[in-house]
Amino acid sequence: MKAFIALFFSSAAFGAVAAIVYWFSSREYAGTILLGLMALGLGFAAGYALLAEREANLAGDSETLQHKETAGEDLGIFTKESAWPILLAFAILWLLIGVVWSPFMMYTGLGAMLLILWRLGAESARV
């Protein structure tokens, strides 16, 4: 988990620096917002891993193990039957396209994203 946290925090820092440099060099809102959202998303994922998964002992964190020794490691439970993750991806895509093109698309994408997250949370609470 240490490698994951370091990679995501460094990528979030890169996104934040890129957003700041992009803003001062172009004064353009859409690209700055998208770079900022990238930094925010990566920072959120790293923060979640840092707080909620700090006791995770993954074989990838051990410097003495070879890749072939970690083959078949159980990484968690992933639902294959749920349609919500792909719908969430399309709602986020619609939201981000709306940031560039149309406020209507942005707001409908945000609404769809919140609705899907609500349903995804309700589904995961049942499992």
Side-chain angles (χ1 to χ4, degrees), residues 8 14-15 19 21 24 27 31 38 41 52-53 76 80-81 90 98-99 114-115 123 125 127:
F8 272 58
F14 170 78
V21 169
F24 285 113
R27 301 274 190 223
M38 179 187 83
E53 302 292 332
K80 299 175 188 167
E81 295 83 22
F90 282 121
V99 168
L114 293 174
L115 177 69
E123 182 180 286
V127 173

Side-chain angles (χ1 to χ4, degrees), residues 1-17 38-51:
M1 194 56 66
K2 293 178 220 168
F4 173 87
I5 292 170
L7 177 68
F8 272 58
F9 268 137
S10 63
S11 298
F14 170 78
V17 169
M38 179 187 83
L40 185 68
L42 290 168
F44 176 78
Y48 175 81
L50 185 65
L51 296 176

Side-chain angles (χ1 to χ4, degrees), residues 62-82:
S62 175
E63 295 178 7
T64 60
L65 292 178
Q66 300 283 329
H67 288 292
K68 61 184 175 185
E69 295 170 353
T70 63
E73 179 184 12
D74 184 26
L75 296 176
I77 299 170
F78 301 97
T79 305
K80 299 175 188 167
E81 295 83 22
S82 178

Side-chain angles (χ1 to χ4, degrees), residues 40-121:
L40 185 68
L42 290 168
F44 176 78
Y48 175 81
L50 185 65
L51 296 176
E53 302 292 332
R54 72 180 123 214
E55 274 86 38
N57 187 14
L58 299 178
D61 289 335
S62 175
E63 295 178 7
T64 60
L65 292 178
Q66 300 283 329
H67 288 292
K68 61 184 175 185
E69 295 170 353
T70 63
E73 179 184 12
D74 184 26
L75 296 176
I77 299 170
F78 301 97
T79 305
K80 299 175 188 167
E81 295 83 22
S82 178
W84 294 117
I86 192 70
L87 291 174
L88 179 62
F90 282 121
I92 292 171
L93 175 67
W94 188 260
L95 168 74
L96 294 177
I97 290 173
V99 168
V100 176
W101 281 343
S102 164
F104 174 75
M105 289 175 69
M106 183 177 68
Y107 292 129
T108 56
L110 180 64
M113 184 183 77
L114 293 174
L115 177 69
I116 291 168
L117 284 172
W118 172 57
R119 294 308 312 151
L120 184 61

